[in-house]
Amino acid sequence: MIPAGGTDDGGIGTSFEKVLSGIEQADAGDGVVLLCDLGSAILTAETALDFLDDAVRARVRIVDAPLVEGGVAAAVAAEIGGDLESVVRAARSAAEGVPAAPVDPASPPLVTRTVTLVNKDGLHARPAADFVKLASTFTARVTVNGKDASSLLAVMSLGLIRGMTAEISSSDENGAEAVAALGDLLESGFGEE
Amino acid sequence: MNLDVTWAKAWITTGAAVMNEHRVELINLDREIGDGDHGENMDRGFQAVLLKLDDLPAEANPGDVFKLVATTLISTVGGAAGPLYGTAFLKAAVAVTGSAELDGAALVALLTAARDGIVLRGKAESGDKTMVDAWTPAVDAADAARAGGADGPAILAAAAAAAEAGAEATEPWVARKGRASYLGERAIGHRDPGAQSSALLLRAAADTAAGD
């Protein structure tokens, strides 16, 4: 994740050089997702794209998403090995707000486990990313307190801290393994105190 | 004067002086309906261009001058005007590439390409209270002057006058693009700073072509 904010001399504005070299640094061949807020940042990002080789430009995407939330969601999607399009989707999801739970509330969960959070930061930041990363490795759809367990923003929006309980559920037939693994991760305290 | 590389350099040199001279005026216009950095940014960008003009090779043509202006403005202006003017000059450079001297048709092509570059980058339309409101009347006036048989300097004079009128015409409007669009009706009564700097730049083109 390469920050490219501010002018060359550190003032308010946008530096073409910073944006262009940021794209080059971030580009390992799999693609680059570019998040920018408004005005000159967007125009400079679009201009920088014009200066790239066709092959590089084809794998760079400018995504209209909130800078902080979109950046966090995109970083987690990239970290868990998502391809360019899934990183784009993750960033864009931040613009749409927290996604709805993936299960029909009318269909009762087949498996549920309730866990009390033991670590200091609860399900926030890195622990939330670890949790989402693990949830994403299962095909079964899982919810935590009714929110999509594979959506970082959804999990973080729960604001679960130490002492609170998380209800992990799945309505999928193959969901038991995922619910067990996610419950174990929460009980482990993520290696935190 | 002949509209060759000497004119292109004279235009940009005069343009830089004009941006410096009108720095405070552009800052004040932008402070009223934007973020107040337009004069500062344009002055910084054109001063950076000035430092590089002498490095152009002796066999450079007008297109090379415009390309240098484009890349320098893009990397030094720092605000939205950088990519907008940068793209304008880049497209203008392509439109006249290889030509040692620009005739009326080439001037109209240059202005049209510059305007199209601004539209491509900023996605503004006429009446949005932006640079486009200076450039589109300039392009139309240049085209009409050329069709009427005007020579290069007269075409540029027509473009400059139309750009000035276009910039002035933005005063009573509500902005629909850029930061001024956040202000709604509070933008009424204020001239668009980008349209004003565009008019200043085109006036510099006309004045240098006329030999002033």
Side-chain angles (χ1 to χ4, degrees):
Chain A
M1 205 169 186
I2 314 290
T7 56
D8 285 331
D9 52 9
I12 296 172
T14 314
S15 157
F16 176 77
E17 310 295 337
K18 280 189 191 175
V19 173
L20 195 61
S21 77
I23 293 170
E24 284 160 1
Q25 285 176 62
D27 182 26
D30 296 327
V32 177
V33 170
L34 204 54
L35 296 162
C36 36
D37 54 359
L38 48 76
S40 67
I42 296 170
L43 296 184
T44 302
E46 289 172 353
T47 307
L49 256 58
D50 284 354
F51 282 76
L52 296 172
D53 292 339
D54 290 348
V56 179
R57 188 186 314 117
R59 57 177 184 259
V60 179
R61 300 274 191 286
I62 296 174
V63 179
D64 182 15
L67 207 54
V68 174
E69 294 86 344
V72 171
V76 171
E79 174 70 27
I80 63 179
D83 61 9
L84 178 60
E85 293 313 321
S86 63
V87 176
V88 168
R89 268 198 306 280
R92 206 170 273 152
S93 75
E96 294 155 0
V98 172
V103 285
D104 178 359
S107 74
L110 289 172
V111 53
T112 291
R113 179 167 165 192
T114 303
V115 180
T116 301
L117 284 138
V118 294
N119 59 306
K120 184 166 142 285
D121 290 333
L123 257 184
H124 209 71
R126 187 190 63 83
D130 287 348
F131 184 84
V132 167
K133 195 169 165 178
L134 180 62
S136 305
T137 62
F138 296 99
T139 54
R141 313 245 268 179
V142 180
T143 62
V144 50
N145 292 5
K147 302 282 188 182
D148 184 353
S150 64
S151 161
L152 181 76
L153 294 173
V155 171
M156 285 177 66
S157 74
L158 292 170
L160 292 175
I161 56 171
R162 175 150 60 187
M164 293 172 81
T165 54
E167 191 179 275
I168 307 165
S169 308
S170 180
S171 307
D172 284 0
E173 290 190 358
N174 60 348
E177 193 194 346
V179 169
L182 289 167
D184 289 348
L185 179 64
L186 289 190
E187 283 185 341
S188 78
F190 298 90
E192 289 182 355
E193 288 174 6
Chain B
M1 77 191 291
N2 289 334
L3 302 183
D4 55 11
V5 69
T6 306
W7 164 72
K9 285 187 187 177
W11 171 19
I12 300 310
T13 305
T14 301
V18 168
M19 290 306 158
N20 184 257
E21 192 185 326
H22 291 264
R23 185 175 153 273
V24 172
E25 174 198 333
L26 293 173
I27 286 173
N28 287 339
L29 286 177
D30 195 28
R31 199 167 272 157
E32 283 158 357
I33 58 171
D35 54 3
D37 62 1
H38 190 55
E40 191 74 47
N41 290 346
M42 291 300 285
D43 185 32
R44 177 173 52 234
F46 272 90
Q47 292 306 316
V49 173
L50 272 191
L51 295 177
K52 294 185 183 177
L53 269 188
D54 290 339
D55 297 343
L56 281 168
E59 67 276 15
N61 54 45
D64 298 322
V65 174
F66 302 145
K67 188 162 186 219
L68 176 75
V69 174
T71 53
T72 309
L73 291 183
I74 287 169
S75 36
T76 57
V77 168
L84 290 167
Y85 276 107
T87 306
F89 275 100
L90 203 58
K91 301 293 180 189
V94 172
V96 298
T97 190
S99 301
E101 196 170 327
L102 308 182
D103 60 11
L107 287 175
V108 173
L110 180 162
L111 295 171
T112 305
R115 187 271 315 272
D116 291 351
I118 293 163
V119 170
L120 169 84
R121 184 63 63 218
K123 297 170 189 74
E125 296 170 7
S126 289
D128 283 351
K129 193 164 182 151
T130 71
M131 293 166 68
V132 174
D133 294 308
W135 281 89
T136 290
V139 168
D140 294 345
D143 199 28
R146 186 197 56 84
D151 64 1
I155 289 171
L156 288 171
E164 286 162 355
E168 193 181 343
T170 65
E171 286 179 13
W173 297 349
V174 168
R176 291 196 300 246
K177 277 275 173 189
R179 201 156 303 187
S181 64
Y182 306 159
L183 295 176
E185 298 200 341
R186 278 185 289 149
I188 291 174
H190 302 284
R191 184 176 303 199
D192 179 65
Q196 180 65 6
S197 63
S198 299
L200 291 170
L201 191 63
L202 290 171
R203 174 54 65 194
D207 285 352
T208 46
D212 284 345

